């Protein structure tokens, strides 16, 4: 019952407030710039939807994981980026508007790419491909309730009462950061037995995939000469997954408890590399802005 309250009440409310706090630092102009210069989005799409599944496939092949566990990792790789990636982008002083935009775009594209990736993984590791029904309504509800609505509310508050929004923004950022770490703690407590039992076998794979994708997202962006803030953002967006959706696909769609395990493990451990990366990149992305202009004034797969 306690876990149900955490999953059904605390996590959605915490994620919604995190996105609201980020919305306080955004304007329509921030998103207009993304549309006018879509190259960062295109680089992110290549990293997330092409390189991530390919690297995950080679990694689980190299590790010779049991078939169901290997498919579970491929399900994780097929999911969109998690909502908390936006808060990590803020912590790293990255491009929050780009992070929010990419999260939304990735969630829509996943509807088409996830069935292909998971079906191919089933054929590769288990010897038979299956048709995977994507929970489109769940994905769209997550995008609206945990992303569009709270971000829009934050932007609306900033547009209507800019002075109040500017005054509340630092406190909101601190609360959002506390909530983020509370989400991490809740995930560890909820999945402690699973994490303990699977750590030796699966933790190196999860941490390795996370670290490789952080590096690839950052490097690919710098290779095409994107600004440092956008490069850091794409590193985070390439590595932080919507692990909650992975659990739904594995448990409720494919009805395989073994396939659930990689999603639960990655959903916790991805924040180890993500948080270290975010704090480590703060100098790389430059000094904290003195006031909220286009970026959040100097930050969720959801798990």
């Amino acid at each position: 019952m306690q876990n149900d309250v955490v999953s059904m009440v605390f996590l959605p409310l915490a994620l919604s407030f995190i996105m609201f706090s980020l919305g306080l630092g955004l304007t329509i102009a921030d998103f207009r710039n993304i549309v006018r210069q879509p190259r960062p989005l295109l680089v992110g799409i290549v990293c997330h939807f092409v390189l991530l599944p390919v690297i995950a496939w080679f990694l689980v092949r190299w590790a010779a994981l049991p078939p169901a566990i290997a498919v579970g990792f491929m399900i994780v790789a097929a999911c969109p980026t998690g909502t908390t990636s936006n808060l990590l982008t803020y912590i790293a002083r990255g491009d929050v508007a780009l992070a929010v935009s990419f999260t939304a775009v990735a969630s829509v594209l996943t509807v088409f790419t996830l069935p292909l990736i998971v079906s191919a993984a089933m054929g590769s590791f288990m010897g038979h491909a299956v048709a995977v029904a994507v929970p489109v309504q769940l994905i769209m509800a997550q995008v609206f309730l945990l992303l569009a609505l709270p971000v829009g509310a934050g932007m609306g508050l900033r547009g209507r009462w800019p002075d109040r929004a500017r005054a509340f923004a630092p406190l909101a950022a601190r609360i959002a950061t506390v909530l983020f770490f509370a989400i991490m703690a809740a995930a560890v407590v909820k999945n402690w037995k699973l994490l303990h039992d699977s750590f030796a076998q699966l933790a190196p794979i999860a941490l390795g995939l996370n670290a490789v994708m952080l590096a690839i997202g950052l490097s690919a962006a710098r290779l095409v000469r994107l600004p440092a803030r956008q490069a850091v953002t794409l590193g985070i967006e390439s590595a932080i997954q919507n692990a909650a959706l992975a659990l739904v696909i594995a448990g409720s769609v494919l009805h395989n408890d073994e396939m659930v395990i990689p999603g639960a493990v990655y959903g916790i451990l991805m924040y180890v590399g993500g948080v270290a990366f975010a704090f480590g990149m703060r100098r790389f992305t430059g000094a904290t802005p003195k006031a909220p202009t286009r970026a959040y004034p100097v930050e969720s797969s959801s798990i």
Side-chain angles (χ1 to χ4, degrees), residues 2 28 67 82 91 121 130 152 181 188 190 201 246:
Q2 186 176 5
I28 294 177
I91 290 176
V130 297
F181 285 104
V188 171
K190 181 180 178 182
Q201 181 186 24

Side-chain angles (χ1 to χ4, degrees), residues 201-227:
Q201 181 186 24
L202 301 186
I205 307 301
L207 292 172
L209 179 61
N210 180 252
V212 168
M213 290 314 304
L214 286 167
I216 284 180
L218 177 68
S219 300
R222 295 302 285 170
L223 188 63
V224 297
R225 299 182 179 180
L226 291 178

Side-chain angles (χ1 to χ4, degrees), residues 81-108:
T81 185
T83 308
T84 47
S85 64
N86 302 294
L87 184 57
L88 284 173
T89 296
Y90 169 64
I91 290 176
R93 298 172 182 163
D95 188 332
V96 177
L98 173 60
V100 172
S101 299
F102 186 81
T103 300
V105 169
S107 297
V108 174

